[in-house]
């Protein structure tokens, strides 16, 4: 069953092209043939219906997720449950025969307004259907802060977890935002951490690692 992502994005085609040796060498050369990403489901308080969009990155080496309503906040105007927001993506990545892939790096961007004494947290993990979840990678923010933010998760080559060769396993990506009022005064101020923007330019970019499967 498809999740809230627009039907037009259900089949996302990614055409792998050669990349510079400096970026291709550590994580393998991408396959030369067409790669299709099916969006199986998008669920969570941070990505309600119609607010998340998946598309191909400009260099065709990754996919991009854009959010329009992914904001955690505390204080004036916030509901008690707004301090935490999350989103889970389930993707079916169709790769050419003889290849497999992993998520080698993820780049996150957003905006933060944290009052003095407040704190924010962005965290994510990635795993394939039926396999053990990876450890969450956390990024912390402390107030006072009023600025755009960027965080990257990079996996060492020997720790990259690849999809099983010859098997269909959905790629699950879990993300979460949290805000803690701390010593700030939530009755007079508002602190927030967002992975979105009014113009839709804030996004999350995921980069693939590739390798060839054993013959036979």
């Amino acid at each position: 069953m498809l999740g809230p992502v627009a039907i037009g994005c259900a089949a996302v085609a990614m055409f792998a092209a050669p990349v510079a040796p400096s970026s291709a060498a550590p994580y393998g050369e991408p396959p030369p043939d067409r790669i299709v990403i099916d969006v199986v489901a998008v669920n969570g308080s941070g990505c309600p219906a119609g607010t998340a969009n998946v598309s191909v990155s400009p260099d065709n080496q990754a996919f991009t997720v854009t959010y329009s309503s992914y904001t955690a906040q505390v204080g004036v105007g916030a509901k008690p449950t707004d301090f935490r927001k999350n989103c889970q993506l389930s993707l079916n990545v169709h790769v050419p025969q003889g290849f497999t892939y992993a998520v080698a790096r993820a780049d996150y961007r957003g905006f933060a307004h944290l009052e003095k004494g407040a704190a924010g947290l962005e965290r994510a993990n990635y795993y394939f259907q039926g396999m053990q979840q990876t450890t969450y990678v956390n990024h912390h923010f402390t107030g006072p802060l009023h600025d755009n933010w960027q965080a990257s998760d990079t996996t060492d080559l020997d720790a990259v977890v690849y999809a099983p060769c010859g098997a269909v396993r959905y790629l699950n990506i879990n993300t979460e935002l949290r805000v803690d009022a701390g010593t700030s005064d939530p009755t007079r101020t508002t602190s927030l951490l967002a992975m979105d923007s009014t113009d839709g330019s804030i996004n999350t970019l995921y980069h693939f690692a590739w390798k060839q499967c054993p013959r036979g």
Side-chain angles (χ1 to χ4, degrees):
M1 181 178 67
L2 289 175
V5 169
I7 296 299
C9 295
V12 180
M14 178 167 60
F15 297 88
V19 296
S22 59
S23 60
Y27 294 110
E29 291 285 352
D33 299 327
R34 180 183 179 184
I35 301 155
V36 177
I37 302 176
D38 293 331
V39 180
V40 180
V42 178
N43 297 298
S45 56
C47 49
T51 66
N53 183 54
V54 181
S55 62
V56 178
S57 64
D59 62 3
N60 295 322
Q61 296 299 313
F63 64 93
T64 304
V65 183
T66 304
Y67 303 96
S68 61
S69 186
Y70 199 166
T71 304
Q73 59 183 337
V74 294
V76 179
K79 300 176 182 178
T81 57
D82 285 346
F83 79 97
R84 177 184 178 272
K85 297 291 183 176
N86 76 294
C87 185
Q88 175 168 314
L89 301 173
S90 292
L91 307 174
N92 187 10
V93 182
H94 303 272
V95 300
Q97 186 175 3
F99 283 85
T100 186
Y101 73 97
V103 173
R105 192 175 93 232
D107 300 324
Y108 299 94
R109 299 177 180 86
F111 178 78
H113 174 80
L114 299 175
E115 295 288 333
K116 183 178 180 180
L121 170 70
E122 181 273 324
R123 66 190 320 216
N125 77 337
Y126 326 90
Y127 65 97
F128 293 103
Q129 179 186 17
M131 300 177 67
Q132 184 177 359
Q133 294 193 28
T134 59
T135 302
Y136 274 97
V137 179
N138 298 321
H139 298 278
H140 298 273
F141 306 88
T142 57
L145 176 63
H146 183 85
D147 203 353
N148 295 321
W149 61 266
Q150 179 172 340
S152 296
D153 300 345
T154 303
T155 305
D156 293 335
L157 182 59
D158 57 358
V160 170
V161 178
Y162 288 88
C165 288
V168 177
R169 299 287 180 91
Y170 296 152
L171 171 63
N172 295 311
I173 300 174
N174 294 320
T175 57
E176 179 180 326
L177 297 177
R178 292 192 184 209
V179 177
D180 183 357
T183 59
S184 67
D185 185 356
T187 66
R188 301 179 59 186
T189 63
T190 301
S191 293
L192 63 87
L193 187 65
M195 208 180 320
D196 70 349
S197 77
T198 54
D199 60 7
S201 64
I202 301 299
N203 55 40
T204 303
L205 187 66
Y206 297 91
H207 306 260
F208 284 136
W210 297 99
K211 74 175 183 179
Q212 292 187 339
C213 293
R215 293 186 180 274

